Amino acid sequence: MVKYRFNTYMSFSLKNLFGNQNNRDIEAFDPIVKKINDLEAEYRALDDSAFKLKTTDLQASYSAGTALDTILPEAFALVREASRRTLGQRHFDVQLMGGIALHQGKIAEMRTGEGKTLVATLPAYLNAITGSGVHVVTVNDYLSRRDAVWMGQIYNFLGLSVGVINHESSFLYDPNHETLDSTRDSEGSFKVVKEFLRPVTRREAYAADITYGTNNEFGFDYLRDNLEYSKEKLRQREHAYAIVDEIDSILIDEARTPLIISAPTTDSENLYKVCADIAKKLVAEEHFTVDEKLKAITLTPSGIDRAEQLLGVDNIYSEKGIKYVHHLETAVRAQSLYRIDKEYVVREGEVVIVDEFTGRLQPGRRWSEGLHQAIEAKEHVDVQKESKTFASITFQNYFRMYSKLAGMTGTAETSSEEFYKVYGLVTLVIPTHRTIARIDHNDLIYQSEQGKYQAVARKVKELNRAGQPVLIGTVSIEKNETLSQYLLREGVSHEVLNAKNHDREGEIVAQAGRKGAVTIATNLAGRGVDIKLGGNPGTPEEYEAVKAVGGLFVLGTERHDARRIDNQLRGRSARQGDPGATQFFVSLEDSLMRVFASDTIKKMMGRFGIPEDQPIENRMVTNALEKAQEKIEGFNFDARKHILEFDDVLNFQRKIIYERRRNMLVGEDSRVESYIDEVLSLATEEERNTISLKRESVGEAQFLAVLRMIVLQTMDMFWVDHLEMMDYLRSSVNLRAYGQREPLVEYKKEGLRFFKEMEESVKYEVIKLIPNISLAAQPVDQTPKNLREIKEGAEEITKERVPVVHTDTVGRNDECPCGSGKKFKKCGMLNTEEHQKLLNK
């Protein structure tokens, strides 16, 4: 095969000449590591029974006022020796450095295979000594259970308890927990199986010294706690210290997806199905334009006319037709921008979202504002009810509640600016234990996707014949299965790993390093599980056989939007000094190239007369791709920052409400009495007298107990309505930019007014309800039925706001009455109710 090469230039960085802050920070760890190493011989001589006593001594020392930094060398040395005795794994010096960085509330970037799971035991143990509880956050339930059982041996040896929070169950690590298997032994008795994880309540799991769980579960439990009416049902303690594994995935990739607890409201209209049928009859560019960068569509005048014709409506922007506009635009977005087996799959008659970063299915998660229903109508499955929000929070604001936050990942440096600006987290790149032996080849660029797939199949066949294991990374289930067909034509046997068969993930990944193994995977295989040469478990002979043929070859079939995702894929190869190689095969038809970088490269390839089925290998093109990725990263950073700025307004209000709610639920009576005084200051003389008489007749203790419930219920009801108003306000302030007013400032101003009005409304409602207190009132029975029903039925919704249009007096081509000087279709049509207010003036 012919490869076209062009000369490129080398760059020179001043930081290589003068050193950098990262190196200086790492060097500052050397004296601490030396202190830990100096204790090793002493601790190796201890009896096993002495380790729990040492933990007790450290707890007493901390309670007496000794700082954790002073305790650190001894604590880390204890963990290292406990690990050696229980797991047979001794922390390397670079792992100690990673642990120090985590204890200091920083992000430790450590390459794949450097043992991040083991590193977390060091700061987790040290900070658990405080008694406040440590949360270790993982990306999925499987890793939470795996890490708790694996590392639980260390913590148990040291006398600490370990909890696990999973989606449907909670556990405590218990080395003595056994269960009976469903199979029988040769004598007919049921087999006794070690389980290590004993089922417990959520509250018990959180009461452990160290608790493992996913970001979703921690966040949802926080929201659920703020819907409870009994302090005995509260799950979480304080948010003291969190260690986030794969922190870039959790705090950046998923940061635009708020956690929302919602309940179904009204039945969905048949309009979703009607608009889905119309959307299929509209033609791109003729009837609507598509902006793939923003995931948005715009109906053209021709498209509006066609839609009105199909709907039998004279003007969809009139009062009679307005209900069609939002549904129609959403249906077109669903038809043109959301594809089956990429953004979602249909499983058992339901549309299930596929996480764009991990490739995993997200059951229970739904797009909001009618988008999910539009896709359901498009795929001819049952259209579900719409939902009403009862509680919500973004991951940014949830994790910023922790007094100390730290994280680990193999790919944080490219996002270090965002980590620092949003979370105040500094990123430290930790040196590897062994020299990296991976070879990263330049990208191969093809003119067509078909040509690229043919080349990939030939390359994999070549590597497979040599016995070198290959991991092929794809960006979607659809591409995953397409490439599988190309490999079958070449006669290459392989495994396919995606969200459709994620149940076999552990098994497939464990064997991906065997000699001659070929594995096609979405990003699913990119996090949390090492691919070991020779397979897992593999013999030393199998390991050496794979090492001899060059180790694992990672082949990327498309560049991702973020460089971190590409680096994660590359990081699957060459762990712990093993050999390995990586290369990306890209085409001008790939999403990234087509949207951001294709024109320049197309001209270059045409200028040199390169055949369509031949690649070029050019560092300059690779640089162009990385520049495109930087643009997207910047765009996404701005989008997340924008969302956070607005959510910070609501978060300020949320903190006030939740703190007041917590005081009502578990606070001292004096706090309740203080709030009553605030309420009574608004009552009339007659209401004050009535309340005083009621207080005397009911009795102080009963009065305060029932009043707690009344205040909680009233706050919750008004807070739910307030969330809906704030959501509407969020979508309506954008039009004010046309009047030279800053939307965020307007949102803050209006949001504060709404919040103050809500607070006053709560107090007036409480005044009205107090006279109805009776001796028979029981707090446990006071829970409103709709809140009680949804407390355990949380679902996660992806918030995607889309413009809605509403007017009944202004034509599409008329000048907008807001004064912008633009035609209405280019200005006022971008919003609804806010524009109607302008018309009414």
Side-chain angles (χ1 to χ4, degrees):
M1 179 177 65
V2 177
K3 282 194 226 176
Y4 294 82
R5 295 179 181 271
F6 304 98
N7 292 327
T8 58
Y9 63 90
M10 296 180 63
S11 63
F12 182 77
S13 173
L14 287 176
K15 74 177 183 180
N16 294 327
L17 181 62
F18 296 109
N20 57 38
Q21 186 62 45
N22 191 90
N23 292 340
R24 290 190 286 273
D25 289 341
I26 294 297
E27 288 169 2
F29 293 163
D30 289 340
I32 305 174
V33 171
K34 185 179 185 304
K35 288 181 181 179
I36 300 168
N37 289 335
D38 289 344
L39 291 169
E40 186 165 18
E42 177 187 340
Y43 286 175
R44 190 163 289 197
L46 293 175
D47 291 335
D48 287 359
S49 59
F51 282 78
K52 291 180 181 178
L53 295 175
K54 282 285 187 181
T55 297
T56 303
D57 290 343
L58 292 181
Q59 290 169 332
S61 179
Y62 174 78
S63 297
T66 305
L68 284 183
D69 287 349
T70 303
I71 296 171
L72 186 151
E74 190 171 356
F76 277 33
L78 283 170
V79 175
R80 174 192 259 178
E81 181 58 23
S83 176
R84 191 187 70 82
R85 296 191 190 193
T86 56
L87 305 181
Q89 297 179 344
R90 175 187 174 276
H91 294 77
F92 304 130
D93 284 1
V94 290
Q95 290 176 310
L96 299 179
M97 292 178 178
I100 297 168
L102 294 176
H103 165 65
Q104 292 180 350
K106 296 176 180 175
I107 296 175
E109 176 173 304
M110 303 184 72
R111 297 292 289 264
T112 300
E114 291 293 305
K116 293 189 290 292
T117 305
L118 192 64
V119 168
T121 60
L122 299 162
Y125 171 75
L126 173 61
N127 285 268
I129 286 171
T130 66
S132 299
V134 174
H135 293 171
V136 182
V137 187
T138 65
V139 293
N140 60 54
D141 282 348
Y142 162 74
L143 290 177
S144 295
R145 294 191 304 273
R146 185 202 73 174
D147 292 356
V149 171
W150 188 12
M151 300 299 118
Q153 300 171 69
I154 299 174
Y155 301 127
N156 182 69
F157 189 81
L158 291 163
L160 297 183
S161 57
V162 181
V164 181
I165 302 294
N166 272 185
H167 181 57
E168 296 179 349
S169 51
S170 308
F171 308 94
L172 278 178
Y173 174 79
D174 183 351
N176 300 315
H177 182 62
E178 299 175 340
T179 187
L180 294 177
D181 198 344
S182 58
T183 59
R184 298 176 184 266
D185 60 21
S186 58
E187 298 178 356
S189 301
F190 287 108
K191 294 180 180 178
V192 176
V193 179
K194 282 278 188 184
E195 287 230 323
F196 299 103
L197 293 179
R198 173 167 51 86
V200 294
T201 65
R202 211 77 159 176
R203 187 183 178 96
E204 288 175 304
Y206 277 114
D209 296 306
I210 298 164
T211 304
Y212 284 82
T214 65
N215 49 319
N216 282 359
E217 294 309 311
F218 284 123
F220 271 132
D221 281 343
Y222 169 72
L223 294 178
R224 291 184 185 111
D225 276 356
N226 286 286
L227 287 173
E228 290 295 353
Y229 288 90
S230 169
K231 61 183 178 181
E232 288 74 24
K233 291 185 178 180
L234 294 178
R235 302 156 183 82
Q236 293 184 343
R237 297 190 282 162
E238 66 266 51
H239 296 84
Y241 178 48
I243 302 171
V244 184
D245 194 12
E246 309 297 359
I247 192 169
D248 53 339
S249 175
I250 291 173
L251 294 193
I252 291 183
D253 295 342
E254 299 189 35
R256 284 181 293 175
T257 306
L259 295 174
I260 298 174
I261 291 184
S262 63
T265 52
T266 58
D267 287 323
S268 300
E269 300 178 48
N270 187 52
L271 204 50
Y272 286 112
K273 296 177 181 177
V274 172
C275 289
D277 290 337
I278 292 175
K280 292 175 182 177
K281 297 173 183 176
L282 301 183
V283 180
E285 301 306 322
E286 179 184 350
H287 296 131
F288 62 91
T289 58
V290 178
D291 189 328
E292 292 190 63
K293 297 179 187 178
L294 298 176
K295 276 208 164 184
I297 65 97
T298 303
L299 292 172
T300 64
S302 173
I304 295 170
D305 292 340
R306 177 63 172 152
E308 290 170 344
Q309 178 188 356
L310 292 169
L311 284 167
V313 175
D314 292 335
N315 183 1
I316 60 173
Y317 294 103
S318 67
E319 185 175 351
K320 180 181 177 183
I322 184 60
K323 65 179 180 179
Y324 296 113
V325 178
H326 172 66
H327 287 84
L328 180 60
E329 291 189 338
T330 306
V332 175
R333 290 178 71 228
Q335 183 68 36
S336 58
L337 287 166
Y338 292 81
R339 289 150 290 180
I340 191 168
D341 287 343
K342 188 174 188 296
E343 283 81 14
Y344 64 92
V345 299
V346 176
R347 172 171 283 191
E348 297 177 356
E350 292 187 359
V351 171
V352 182
I353 295 174
V354 175
D355 188 283
E356 63 177 309
F357 299 104
T358 66
R360 287 187 170 86
L361 294 182
Q362 303 290 309
R365 186 165 125 188
R366 293 177 65 81
W367 286 296
S368 66
E369 300 182 6
L371 177 59
H372 209 99
Q373 286 86 351
I375 294 174
E376 288 169 333
K378 167 190 170 183
E379 296 296 341
H380 304 290
V381 301
D382 290 341
V383 178
Q384 304 296 316
K385 293 180 180 180
E386 296 186 21
S387 298
K388 187 171 186 177
T389 298
F390 283 78
S392 70
I393 193 169
T394 60
F395 283 124
Q396 291 110 317
N397 277 320
Y398 173 73
F399 282 104
R400 291 198 300 188
M401 289 194 304
Y402 284 89
S403 301
K404 183 163 68 174
L405 180 65
M408 310 175 291
T409 180
T411 49
E413 194 176 22
T414 55
S415 300
S416 58
E417 179 186 2
E418 181 167 355
F419 279 125
Y420 184 74
K421 287 184 175 179
V422 175
Y423 303 99
L425 290 170
V426 172
T427 300
L428 280 185
V429 180
I430 307 298
T432 55
H433 178 58
R434 294 191 176 97
T435 303
I436 299 170
R438 191 181 74 213
I439 302 171
D440 294 330
H441 297 290
N442 284 340
D443 296 359
L444 295 181
I445 297 94
Y446 295 80
Q447 293 196 49
S448 70
E449 186 173 62
Q450 180 178 337
K452 177 185 71 174
Y453 283 147
Q454 290 171 345
V456 168
R458 288 195 302 266
K459 178 66 173 179
V460 172
K461 185 175 183 179
E462 173 191 330
L463 295 168
N464 183 249
R465 282 177 175 170
Q468 189 169 7
V470 184
L471 174 67
I472 307 169
T474 62
V475 296
S476 68
I477 299 171
E478 176 189 24
K479 300 290 177 68
N480 194 292
E481 294 176 342
T482 298
L483 185 56
S484 177
Q485 294 301 313
Y486 278 89
L487 289 183
L488 288 174
R489 289 175 203 162
E490 292 289 338
V492 178
S493 62
H494 59 278
E495 287 276 9
V496 177
L497 175 59
N498 57 39
K500 291 184 176 179
N501 66 340
H502 68 93
D503 294 337
R504 295 184 57 233
E505 177 182 357
E507 174 191 343
I508 293 173
V509 173
Q511 301 307 318
R514 286 184 301 107
K515 186 173 182 180
V518 176
T519 309
I520 309 177
T522 54
N523 295 334
L524 198 64
R527 312 306 293 251
V529 182
D530 280 340
I531 298 176
K532 297 181 180 178
L533 301 189
N536 185 22
T539 65
E541 293 76 20
E542 289 172 325
Y543 168 78
E544 291 298 334
V546 174
K547 189 175 178 181
V549 295
L552 180 67
F553 192 102
V554 169
L555 194 155
T557 58
E558 196 166 328
R559 286 287 195 144
H560 298 79
D561 284 354
R563 290 167 293 170
R564 288 180 298 99
I565 310 296
D566 291 343
N567 292 338
Q568 289 161 15
L569 183 60
R570 289 191 194 275
R572 310 313 301 159
S573 177
R575 59 183 297 278
Q576 283 288 324
D578 288 340
T582 70
Q583 189 165 35
F584 279 86
F585 285 50
V586 299
S587 83
L588 298 184
E589 294 177 348
D590 293 347
S591 297
L592 183 68
M593 296 284 283
R594 183 165 43 81
V595 176
F596 284 95
S598 61
D599 290 342
T600 303
I601 300 170
K602 271 183 179 177
K603 290 176 183 176
M604 187 190 70
M605 294 182 82
R607 189 163 62 244
F608 287 99
I610 300 171
E612 190 174 52
D613 61 346
Q614 296 296 327
I616 63 168
E617 182 180 351
N618 181 3
R619 184 60 205 172
M620 188 169 66
V621 176
T622 301
N623 288 340
L625 276 170
E626 291 176 353
K627 288 293 183 186
Q629 288 175 311
E630 287 182 37
K631 287 181 183 176
I632 300 175
E633 289 167 4
F635 175 82
N636 289 336
F637 178 20
D638 290 340
R640 288 188 291 267
K641 184 171 175 287
H642 188 63
I643 289 172
L644 184 59
E645 286 172 341
F646 278 86
D647 192 65
D648 280 343
V649 177
L650 190 59
N651 193 54
F652 172 78
Q653 301 172 1
R654 183 191 297 115
K655 284 181 176 179
I656 293 174
I657 289 294
Y658 282 2
E659 182 180 3
R660 188 172 294 156
R661 200 183 188 285
R662 176 73 57 140
N663 289 335
M664 284 293 123
L665 191 60
V666 300
E668 299 292 330
D669 285 349
S670 59
R671 290 183 178 271
V672 182
E673 291 168 346
S674 175
Y675 186 73
I676 292 174
D677 291 340
E678 286 185 42
V679 171
L680 294 182
S681 67
L682 300 175
T684 64
E685 185 174 348
E686 182 181 352
E687 288 169 334
R688 194 173 293 111
N689 290 333
T690 303
I691 291 169
S692 296
L693 290 172
K694 178 64 67 173
R695 192 168 187 171
E696 290 176 12
S697 65
V698 172
E700 187 68 10
Q702 181 72 356
F703 179 82
L704 291 178
V706 178
L707 192 68
R708 287 176 189 262
M709 292 301 107
I710 288 178
V711 174
L712 283 172
Q713 295 164 26
T714 307
M715 283 172 54
D716 286 350
M717 290 295 100
F718 280 89
W719 177 245
V720 168
D721 291 339
H722 180 71
L723 288 176
E724 190 170 26
M725 295 213 23
M726 291 296 288
D727 200 39
Y728 164 72
L729 178 64
R730 169 70 180 84
S731 62
S732 71
V733 293
N734 290 327
L735 182 64
R736 304 187 189 188
Y738 293 108
Q740 305 303 312
R741 287 185 287 175
E742 170 59 44
L744 180 59
V745 173
E746 294 291 303
Y747 183 71
K748 287 179 178 178
K749 184 173 68 177
E750 291 289 304
L752 180 61
R753 181 172 64 83
F754 288 168
F755 185 68
K756 288 182 176 179
E757 289 174 357
M758 181 202 70
E759 288 187 301
E760 295 298 294
S761 298
V762 169
K763 293 174 184 176
Y764 282 116
E765 186 69 16
V766 169
I767 290 171
K768 284 168 48 182
L769 292 172
I770 288 178
N772 297 318
I773 292 178
S774 67
L775 284 170
Q778 295 295 323
V780 73
D781 295 326
Q782 299 290 317
T783 308
K785 183 174 184 293
N786 54 347
L787 282 178
R788 190 167 64 239
E789 287 175 348
I790 59 94
K791 280 190 296 183
E792 299 303 327
E795 64 175 345
E796 182 184 352
I797 300 178
T798 302
K799 296 294 285 183
E800 287 204 32
R801 296 179 175 86
V802 291
V804 187
V805 188
H806 182 197
T807 178
D808 56 1
T809 59
V810 183
R812 293 196 299 273
N813 292 310
D814 293 344
E815 184 176 322
C816 184
C818 76
S820 67
K822 299 181 180 181
K823 289 184 178 180
F824 179 66
K825 67 183 180 182
K826 296 291 186 182
C827 181
M829 278 178 147
L830 298 176
N831 207 274
T832 58
E833 301 296 335
E834 190 59 34
H835 182 73
Q836 192 63 41
K837 291 178 184 176
L838 290 172
L839 293 176
N840 293 335
K841 286 182 178 178

